Amino acid sequence: MTKLLQSIWLATTILFCLLGGLSLWSTHNSSTMAHQEALERENQLRAELLKRSIAPLFEPMAQAVAQYPAVPSRRLESPAGQALLSAIDDNTPDESDISVALYDANGKILFSNHTYKIDKTLESPAFDQAIGGSASNHIDQFTTADTEGEQREQTWVVSYLPLPEEALPFAAISLERNHTQLLAALAQKNHRALMTEGLAFIAFYVALMLSLSVILRNFRRSEARHRNLEQKLQEHTFYDQVTGLPNRQNFIERLEYLFKSSAEGSLNGPFAVLLTDLDSFKVINESLGHQAGNQLLKSVGHRLNRCVGPNDLVARMGGDEYGLIIENIDDVTEAIQTAKNIHEQFQEPYMIQGHRVSESISIGVAISQGQNQTAEELIRDADIAMSRAKQNGRGHYELFNVEMHQEAVNRIELENSIRHGLERREFFNRYHPIIDVESGLTVSAEALVRWNHPERGELAPNHFIPLAEEIGLVKPLDQQVLDKALADLCVWKKHFPEHSGLTVNVNHSAQHFHGRPSLEVILNSLEAHSLRGRDLKLELTESSILKNDLVASALFGELRKMGVHLCMDDFGTGFSSLSYLHKLSFDMLKIDMSFVAEMLYSDEARKIVHSIIEMGNHLGLGVTAEGVETQEQLDILKSMGCRYAQGYLFSKPLLAEEIPDFIQKRIDAQSKTAENLA
Ligand code: C2E
Ligand code: MG
Ligand code: MG
């Protein structure tokens, strides 16, 4: 655009100069011509008047010419000559510098008020025209030298008039008037006018150019602003503002270009996409602040750039995720080598705001598979591999394979069906009775969720609970379980009004500790079924408590106030100790079934179970042994002082409606034993 404007400016300047010059020149020229024409016309008029005035003197003068054919001065001195001279003087009173001449038909001057001209012959087209019968004028310009020898330009206006036959031998008369000064004055005036016009033109041109330059400057400025804005927009669209690296959009476009080049055959080898995710960025960001987080993101970008070649690309995909495109790789090992290089780079801690920060990175690697693939699919594959790498622990890499894809697809399908299952209430509870080892009576029943899957039938929790926890759906699921469990407990209690201590155990996922909504939900649920806190026992796993220590202790305090009993599930499988049980005010613990199972074959397991029971009893916790399958196990547990037991020995998890029957059978069995003993 600027170039176009510059060209227009240049063209306008040239055009203006040409037009201006031409117009000034033509004005000047036409005014000079007009002046000359006016002078010629005026001179001709004066010549006419003079001719008429001196016409009566032609005849005496002709006689004088005839009388003195060879002596021009005598002609002038003759009375006729003198009379003619004074007549000429009389008719040209204001003129000092004039020349009047009478010619014969051949152009010879027979009379002139200037003696030196007499008898000279004139050869001029103007004169020829006069001889031809019509008046003619012309401007005569010549140079003369003055007395001091200086050259002077002279301009005379000459008019030739034809004379009638009766004037013979005179055939024509001329009147010459010196207009040097007048024309010089006129020329000067013209010159001044020309100068003024020129100056006005220049002033106009300068003003025009100034305005143009202002317009141009403003235009340039706005164009620069526009360019700047465009550049910024471009940077925003294609570059990450924190790290200055290409962004996700840029990354995708580059990948699309590679796929296109590959399809056109202009790319040789395959290419790889590496997706990376920082393992503890969130912690650093939260503990050291956002600025430190940004600094870390930048430094990570630098390190990643060190691991790739000049044609490769490192982009920030968002958050703490980076994407790398490695072009023209020979085989998979090259991409894996890059992943290893990245891990090597991450060995060294980062210095962030004076802190040594150790960061590890998980990497998913995917290799382009040819034309039937899209950029999006390759990124998705790398993402699946990265999730797998993350599952394997910190600082791992994984190469994508087809099974991973299938797993990911299955996972997505499962996610959707869990959602639908919740909406369609496909989940239901089974109950696993908890038996008082001494009396053999049922003290509680643990709600164990099942999924009545439309295609796969009844599914155990290990098929869906971990995923439900991951995608945040375990809360609504647990709520459904809790609600149903309390509703079922009400029914059982009605069956056994004398059995007021009957409770229900409900498993509680770790997710409930993010925020604190479960307290309200539990309270509402209890209220809705007119139950008290003590009718409910919540089972929590060690690992979930460990992760959420502080939140848990606050929540547990509230729950205890409500009378809800807390039960540590799967005790011994995590890292926690009995001190945790005490600190977090648990009421019960459940020994993990793996110890119970091993107890028969391993002395060590038996010792562990024994110590757990002893310490549990010492701390006043009700100890339950899970997974009791044989009478032998039960006998050992009993001898160790274990209070409650749960397992297939008594029953497999039952449907809600089967529980009253089970309770009744246990009561009957206990009565029978009592009778027998009596
Ligand atoms: P858990 O709470 O420790 O439940 C005990 C698991 O052991 C149950 O498996 C039960 O069926 C099984 N079991 C009990 N006695 C025996 C036995 O004698 N032999 C054998 N082989 N197994 C026995 P299930 O129902 O598959 O539940 C597995 C886990 O899923 C549960 O472990 C619990 O952590 C979780 N879970 C179950 N229901 C829920 C729920 O509603 N919400 C949450 N968040 N988790 C649940
Ligand atoms: Mg449990
Ligand atoms: Mg358990």
Side-chain angles (χ1 to χ4, degrees):
M1 191 65 185
T2 319
K3 269 197 179 152
L4 180 72
L5 243 119
Q6 274 175 342
S7 314
I8 292 173
W9 192 357
L10 196 74
T12 322
T13 309
I14 294 169
L15 201 74
F16 252 85
C17 287
L18 273 174
L19 282 175
L22 204 71
S23 123
L24 285 178
W25 176 81
S26 78
T27 316
H28 173 71
N29 231 17
S30 60
S31 120
T32 311
M33 296 269 284
H35 276 126
Q36 286 181 357
E37 271 172 26
L39 281 175
E40 282 175 6
R41 270 198 309 277
E42 187 239 29
N43 199 61
Q44 187 184 337
L45 196 69
R46 282 183 180 251
E48 293 279 3
L49 291 172
L50 181 69
K51 181 181 97 176
R52 219 174 286 167
S53 307
I54 62 172
L57 299 173
F58 287 162
E59 202 189 324
M61 192 61 219
Q63 286 167 9
V65 170
Q67 203 174 347
Y68 307 107
V71 193
S73 56
R74 296 291 292 272
R75 274 180 229 165
L76 292 185
E77 284 160 10
S78 70
Q82 286 301 307
L84 197 53
L85 283 174
S86 74
I88 288 168
D89 272 352
D90 293 346
N91 282 288
T92 53
D94 307 329
E95 315 276 347
S96 55
D97 222 359
I98 64 155
S99 169
V100 178
L102 292 169
Y103 306 82
D104 68 7
N106 297 321
K108 187 176 174 188
I109 298 171
L110 300 177
F111 168 82
S112 170
N113 57 343
H114 294 286
T115 321
Y116 68 91
K117 287 188 179 175
I118 295 175
D119 284 349
K120 296 222 164 90
T121 302
L122 174 75
E123 274 178 37
S124 143
F127 175 75
D128 292 343
Q129 196 183 325
I131 290 297
S134 50
S136 70
N137 309 301
H138 81 103
I139 303 281
D140 197 8
Q141 278 179 319
F142 53 91
T143 314
T144 53
D146 63 10
T147 43
E148 279 144 23
E150 204 177 312
Q151 300 281 317
R152 285 194 187 278
E153 280 279 329
Q154 297 256 14
T155 308
W156 289 67
V157 183
V158 188
S159 296
Y160 297 98
L161 301 177
L163 291 177
E165 262 184 39
E166 54 266 28
L168 282 170
F170 305 122
I173 182 170
S174 73
L175 172 65
E176 291 178 48
R177 289 159 74 214
N178 186 352
H179 277 302
T180 307
Q181 273 180 1
L182 182 69
L183 279 171
L186 272 174
Q188 210 174 3
K189 198 174 149 201
N190 246 356
H191 186 69
R192 267 203 302 274
L194 191 73
M195 287 294 284
T196 318
E197 277 171 34
L199 280 174
F201 174 77
I202 289 167
F204 171 71
Y205 179 74
V206 168
L208 187 78
M209 286 303 117
L210 276 176
S211 342
L212 254 174
S213 77
V214 169
I215 293 169
L216 199 68
R217 200 169 51 232
N218 286 346
F219 178 76
R220 274 196 192 133
R221 266 187 205 153
S222 86
E223 206 184 30
R225 265 201 302 271
H226 188 72
R227 258 205 309 273
N228 217 355
L229 210 72
E230 238 172 36
Q231 203 178 333
K232 276 193 180 145
L233 211 68
Q234 175 102 341
E235 276 169 18
H236 260 282
T237 319
F238 292 107
Y239 289 90
D240 171 55
Q241 296 306 294
V242 176
T243 58
L245 290 174
N247 63 9
R248 189 184 192 89
Q249 177 69 20
N250 201 331
F251 185 86
I252 292 172
E253 284 192 11
R254 171 72 161 204
L255 214 52
E256 277 169 352
Y257 170 77
L258 287 178
F259 272 110
K260 201 168 152 234
S261 309
S262 175
E264 287 165 357
S266 53
L267 202 72
N268 297 330
F271 44 92
V273 162
L274 277 74
L275 278 193
T276 72
D277 191 81
L278 299 178
D279 292 324
S280 38
F281 177 72
K282 208 167 164 246
V283 181
I284 292 160
N285 208 28
E286 278 168 11
S287 55
L288 295 180
H290 274 61
Q291 263 190 334
N294 286 353
Q295 204 181 323
L296 178 65
L297 288 174
K298 269 188 226 164
S299 308
V300 168
H302 287 145
R303 285 200 192 175
L304 290 177
N305 260 321
R306 271 190 243 152
C307 303
V308 298
N311 292 331
D312 302 331
L313 182 94
V314 176
R316 182 174 171 221
M317 306 296 274
D320 57 351
E321 245 187 70
Y322 294 81
L324 287 83
I325 300 174
I326 315 293
E327 282 186 39
N328 277 334
I329 50 168
D330 289 332
D331 54 29
V332 174
T333 49
E334 240 177 276
I336 289 180
Q337 191 50 50
T338 309
K340 285 181 177 166
N341 291 347
I342 293 172
H343 279 150
E344 212 171 278
Q345 284 286 331
F346 274 71
Q347 293 291 313
E348 200 187 314
Y350 289 88
M351 278 308 287
I352 306 290
Q353 295 183 349
H355 301 273
R356 277 169 75 84
V357 173
S358 290
E359 181 58 282
S360 60
I361 191 164
S362 301
I363 307 168
V365 185
I367 313 291
S368 68
Q369 299 297 324
Q371 295 173 10
N372 296 332
Q373 208 180 17
T374 63
E376 218 172 282
E377 283 166 355
L378 189 59
I379 293 173
R380 182 204 59 201
D381 291 350
D383 200 32
I384 292 171
M386 186 183 71
S387 302
R388 176 60 67 88
K390 263 198 171 313
Q391 281 164 20
N392 292 346
R394 299 163 68 93
H396 278 79
Y397 70 83
E398 274 296 334
L399 178 67
F400 173 80
N401 59 43
V402 185
E403 288 85 63
M404 279 186 197
H405 176 64
Q406 196 45 51
E407 276 171 37
V409 171
N410 291 346
R411 193 188 132 106
I412 292 167
E413 280 175 4
L414 190 61
E415 269 182 40
N416 288 334
S417 25
I418 292 176
R419 267 192 193 95
H420 285 127
L422 273 169
E423 281 161 21
R424 296 188 204 132
R425 297 218 154 233
E426 289 171 0
F427 296 93
F428 68 100
N429 293 355
R430 278 192 178 273
Y431 295 93
H432 208 200
I434 299 172
I435 309 296
D436 183 326
V437 172
E438 280 304 318
S439 64
L441 291 175
T442 313
V443 289
S444 188
E446 179 185 0
L448 295 166
V449 70
R450 297 288 181 267
W451 185 2
N452 189 13
H453 194 280
E455 284 143 31
R456 295 159 69 191
E458 185 173 323
L459 292 180
N462 60 314
H463 291 283
F464 54 90
I465 289 277
L467 184 61
E469 281 190 332
E470 237 179 87
I471 60 176
L473 285 179
V474 81
K475 265 189 188 180
L477 182 63
D478 278 358
Q479 278 165 26
Q480 277 191 13
V481 172
L482 173 75
D483 218 47
K484 185 70 176 50
L486 294 179
D488 288 337
L489 179 66
C490 286
V491 177
W492 305 333
K493 275 182 180 283
K494 275 185 195 142
H495 270 92
F496 306 99
E498 72 291 355
H499 204 344
S500 62
L502 190 66
T503 58
V504 73
N505 282 34
V506 173
N507 289 288
H508 205 64
S509 163
Q511 278 219 345
H512 296 275
F513 303 118
H514 299 302
R516 307 183 43 190
S518 61
L519 198 67
E520 232 172 84
V521 171
I522 294 166
L523 198 69
N524 290 344
S525 233
L526 285 167
E527 265 177 24
H529 298 97
S530 310
L531 289 168
R532 295 153 305 173
R534 64 171 186 228
D535 295 320
L536 175 66
K537 292 188 172 81
L538 279 186
E539 294 194 11
L540 303 129
T541 55
E542 282 180 280
S543 49
S544 69
I545 301 159
L546 262 181
K547 271 189 226 155
N548 303 281
D549 200 350
L550 281 174
V551 191
S553 69
L555 182 68
F556 292 179
E558 304 276 337
L559 285 169
R560 286 201 97 219
K561 271 189 223 158
M562 287 159 56
V564 177
H565 281 197
L566 300 172
C567 182
M568 185 176 276
D569 205 353
D570 304 340
F571 188 82
T573 51
F575 302 101
S576 68
S577 63
L578 284 163
S579 70
Y580 253 99
L581 289 174
H582 186 62
K583 194 173 144 199
L584 293 171
S585 319
F586 272 86
D587 305 281
M588 317 189 77
L589 71 84
K590 291 175 97 174
I591 306 171
D592 190 68
M593 70 174 87
S594 57
F595 295 105
V596 177
E598 274 180 57
M599 211 172 52
L600 293 178
Y601 322 100
S602 147
D603 271 354
E604 207 172 325
R606 196 187 288 225
K607 278 181 198 156
I608 292 173
V609 172
H610 198 185
S611 339
I612 294 173
I613 294 170
E614 274 197 338
M615 275 194 270
N617 287 343
H618 183 70
L619 290 169
L621 302 168
V623 178
T624 307
E626 283 187 309
V628 181
E629 290 183 347
T630 65
Q631 188 58 44
E632 197 184 352
Q633 285 170 332
L634 182 65
D635 292 341
I636 297 170
L637 290 163
K638 219 170 172 178
S639 69
M640 288 175 177
C642 180
R643 180 109 192 255
Y644 306 106
Q646 192 182 11
Y648 291 176
L649 174 67
F650 311 105
S651 154
K652 290 225 167 172
L654 300 167
L655 293 171
E657 49 275 24
E658 296 171 329
I659 290 289
D661 214 26
F662 178 84
I663 296 174
Q664 191 56 54
K665 276 184 185 155
R666 301 296 304 177
I667 294 171
D668 295 345
Q670 196 247 6
S671 311
K672 223 177 200 174
T673 320
E675 269 172 34
N676 288 344
L677 282 174

